[in-house]
Amino acid sequence: MDASQALPQVESFLQQHADRFVDELKDLLRIPSVSADSRHRDDVRQAANYVKERLEAAGLTAELVETAGHPIVYGEWTGAPGAPTALVYGHYDVQPPDPLDRWETPPFEPTVRDGRIYARGATDDKGQMYTHIKSVEAWLQTVGQLPVNVKFVIEGEEEVGSDNLDRFLEEQKERCRCDIVVVSDTSQYAPGIPAITYGLRGIMACEVTLHGPSQDLHSGVFGGAVANPANAMSRLIASLHDDEGRVTIPGFYDDVVPLTPEERQGFADLPFDEQEFLDGVGMTAPFGEPGYSTLERRWARPTCDVNGMISGYTGEGPKTIVPHYATAKITCRLVPDQDAQQLTENLRRHLEEQCPPGLRMEFQDYHGCPAIVSDPTSAAMDAARRAIATAFGNDPVMIREGGSIPVVSTFRDKLGVDTLLLGWGQNTDNLHSPNEHFRLEDFHRGTRASARLWAELVSST
Amino acid sequence: MDASQALPQVESFLQQHADRFVDELKDLLRIPSVSADSRHRDDVRQAANYVKERLEAAGLTAELVETAGHPIVYGEWTGAPGAPTALVYGHYDVQPPDPLDRWETPPFEPTVRDGRIYARGATDDKGQMYTHIKSVEAWLQTVGQLPVNVKFVIEGEEEVGSDNLDRFLEEQKERCRCDIVVVSDTSQYAPGIPAITYGLRGIMACEVTLHGPSQDLHSGVFGGAVANPANAMSRLIASLHDDEGRVTIPGFYDDVVPLTPEERQGFADLPFDEQEFLDGVGMTAPFGEPGYSTLERRWARPTCDVNGMISGYTGEGPKTIVPHYATAKITCRLVPDQDAQQLTENLRRHLEEQCPPGLRMEFQDYHGCPAIVSDPTSAAMDAARRAIATAFGNDPVMIREGGSIPVVSTFRDKLGVDTLLLGWGQNTDNLHSPNEHFRLEDFHRGTRASARLWAELVSST
């Protein structure tokens, strides 16, 4: 196949069908596939079926693979024997949409405003993932073949820890064999500055509950004579940082690989307007670990954040009780070479040791994965760089990101391959927040970059 | 009137009509008069009307007095010129019923089990307050008159700070003139050990909110670079106690009147089984300010309790966000001579000073009242002691209580009179908790004690 003849056909197809692609994405976004909420179990499956159908319509074979949780959609086209094989990973599940009252339009009624499509999952990850299905369709419906073999693994549990993906990759190792993994679940660096992400933070997540009295108690009759779970929880959480903002979980920084001077310089050279960053999130001042820049804090330093907490009466007005329990959800972002499992155990013990008399602590370990940093100069990275430069009209910058994509380390461990993290959206697209959106221009450029990537990858391995 | 002739008639009436009294109480308990929740505004008014009708049926004149909030029910019978006047204070509003799923039977469907009536408000304060209406009815429907004049002030905002009661007492000072106030909103000391409460703790209450980013943020993309309101709130709350459990609000203990050795001895002499106390609330260990017994901690030492807090995602499973706000409801129980207003201001400033950069603190002062301690040897106390001894078959013990009844200091300030705190229920009746209840035997004995009190009070002033 001559890519120089094939590509114009492919790109013409992408242009002609651009509106249909958006309509299809809307159909997918309408499905409230919230994996964390068991009430949405059927919706999650419906989203899986939709993805499977779209893969088949594009010209791949596809199926739903059952797991102990939500199904995995597997698809493939392997008509290029001898050529490299790329595996596209993505996820069709989404974060919970609450707080609902802060959405301008409902989270599962996709709406286009100012060239952006608004919906939960618009960018994370339905919209970004969908670009690869459409780019493959463009090749197969025009040229009739792809320059490389492609496989798709689209899961439905990314937002709840990808619990069943490991077993799938283990059991279907042969089927998933590939030379490179392609994931679009990160972001561009900024509008007009596309990026390839060569590093991700890891994560550990848990939920801690302090059980106190058998029920809420009158704070007048009992207050002062029994341990208050809400006060105690606050003390536990407060004990996770020192006064300067450093994390105080025992051993937390022991295995942290320091940033190299070159990396720090690279970060410093990136255009970054701190005031604009703060304005964008509605904050008046920066905050964080002393001695590090905001980009370093976000990309390459570990954290410990409460994601949610609840105790006692939270309705309107006062209620004079000692709550019978308090719960907090806690996540730490990790960097190389922190060990999620060991640090989770250290955290559990640290909290347990401080639990006051009379309270019982319950600790639920949700999931964890290590951080990952890849070689930014590999042949596959070069291929991606060329594809992106053409589609976006700008060379991508090499960055790290603060989020975690546990599957990247899984692919390295189970399949022995690297992952290309190619983000088409912006990190201001409100992923995980109300009013999540995705610029349609980015959606279309991402699709074009994906289509180019298949040609560029031929010579990359 | 000869009380020795009148009392047998009165007591016979009470016995004959005991079942009807319970049925009427059930009608009142069915009305969800939750004053803290604006959705129950109409229900609160309905409860007020019910109380007014019952006062009229008992033979008093009664009316609803409008306020800026919920109405006050005022009733009176003043046919004993020259005799003392007692003013019964009570409240027809109730605490919110949540958590609803912990009630064995619904909070507003009163149910009798094992000789107890279960419902929100069963003891606090509908059930206890109602005894006085029935005792007055017994006198007026049999003897045709009362030994003393009686007035009733039954309000609908006790559970939300009695905001409009002060103005009512100010404006209707003449009408409310009396020699003694009678309140049944406390408890017996224990089953079989009735009590007169001569001291109450005061209270200050507030709600604190830390506003952070303009919306929930992805904890991977932003975590570590912006102040987290939930972590910050935990630090603020943790800063309210030292490691030993003493409150660290500036000036908190400055004005505390220490317990006298005699009082400490009096408390120590009361039968008290700490293990039984702990078992009763489902706790495995005591907790509190060092150097004080559990009774002292509950009755005569100040506290600082979180009553509720919420931030971020509190649904099922993990959600990796930095919450955009965190809220905590905080109350302090106060003892003589702590100043609620001054300490609320000290608390506000203490929290404000520690609010980290980038977060904005909002502070709502709910309400406060000072603690109160009365002379346990007054003539009115003696009258109450005799009435209770007869009705309950046991001399009452003189105790203090940990709860707050702000109106007691209001009556002292505005009307210059003392208050008899005569509790008919038990402090294990789950007031402010799920499965609140009231022993019917206590309801009936309370009614009888109230009927006797009117006769005993004649010679008390």
Side-chain angles (χ1 to χ4, degrees), chain A residues 182-194:
Chain A
V182 176
V183 178
S184 291
D185 200 15
T186 50
S187 302
Q188 296 186 56
Y189 176 68
I193 311 181

Side-chain angles (χ1 to χ4, degrees), chain B residues 361-418:
Chain B
M361 189 181 104
E362 188 183 353
F363 185 93
Q364 189 173 359
D365 180 0
Y366 274 134
H367 60 94
C369 79
I372 202 147
V373 174
S374 301
D375 174 11
T377 64
S378 69
M381 290 275 182
D382 282 342
R385 202 179 278 122
R386 291 192 298 274
I388 291 170
T390 308
F392 284 77
N394 251 331
D395 273 341
V397 293
M398 302 303 289
I399 62 171
R400 283 165 71 166
E401 273 204 11
S404 314
I405 310 180
V407 73
V408 175
S409 57
T410 307
F411 286 125
R412 177 173 281 185
D413 294 348
K414 305 270 184 215
L415 306 179
V417 293
D418 270 341

Side-chain angles (χ1 to χ4, degrees), chain A residues 95 98 102 201 214 216 220-221 228 231 235 243 281 298 305-306 309 311 315 317 319 321 329 433, chain B residues 95 98 102 201 214 216 220-221 228 231 235 243 281 298 305-307 309 311 315 317 319 329 333 433:
Chain A
Q95 281 275 313
D98 43 319
R102 295 177 66 95
R201 291 197 289 196
S214 47
D216 291 347
V221 177
N228 180 317
N231 289 74
R235 289 184 76 82
D243 289 346
V281 295
R298 291 168 65 196
D305 273 306
V306 172
M309 61 181 185
S311 182
K319 188 181 181 196
I321 52 161
K329 296 175 195 282
S433 298
Chain B
Q95 281 274 312
D98 44 320
R102 295 176 66 93
R201 292 197 287 195
S214 47
D216 292 345
V221 177
N228 180 318
N231 289 75
R235 290 183 75 83
D243 289 345
V281 296
R298 292 167 65 196
D305 273 306
V306 172
N307 314 113
M309 60 180 186
S311 182
K319 189 181 181 196
K329 297 177 194 283
R333 296 289 167 168
S433 297

Side-chain angles (χ1 to χ4, degrees), chain A residues 121-185:
Chain A
T123 181
D124 178 17
D125 179 47
K126 287 173 174 174
Q128 298 206 85
M129 174 271 287
Y130 206 61
T131 60
H132 298 295
I133 300 183
K134 295 296 102 179
S135 76
V136 165
E137 175 184 320
W139 278 92
L140 294 179
Q141 303 302 318
T142 55
V143 185
Q145 58 178 310
L146 279 154
V148 291
N149 301 294
V150 292
K151 298 175 176 181
F152 280 78
V153 173
I154 312 298
E155 70 153 319
E157 301 185 309
E158 199 271 347
E159 301 293 5
V160 289
S162 303
D163 281 345
N164 295 293
L165 187 70
D166 282 22
R167 170 175 287 197
F168 168 82
L169 292 175
E170 191 71 54
E171 289 177 356
Q172 314 247 350
K173 202 168 187 168
E174 206 46 47
R175 204 181 191 185
C176 293
R177 191 170 293 286
C178 61
D179 300 292
I180 189 79
V181 174
V182 176
V183 178
S184 291
D185 200 15

Side-chain angles (χ1 to χ4, degrees), chain A residues 237-249:
Chain A
I237 294 169
S239 81
L240 299 176
H241 290 87
D242 67 16
D243 289 346
E244 265 71 51
R246 286 181 204 89
V247 178
T248 48
I249 298 168

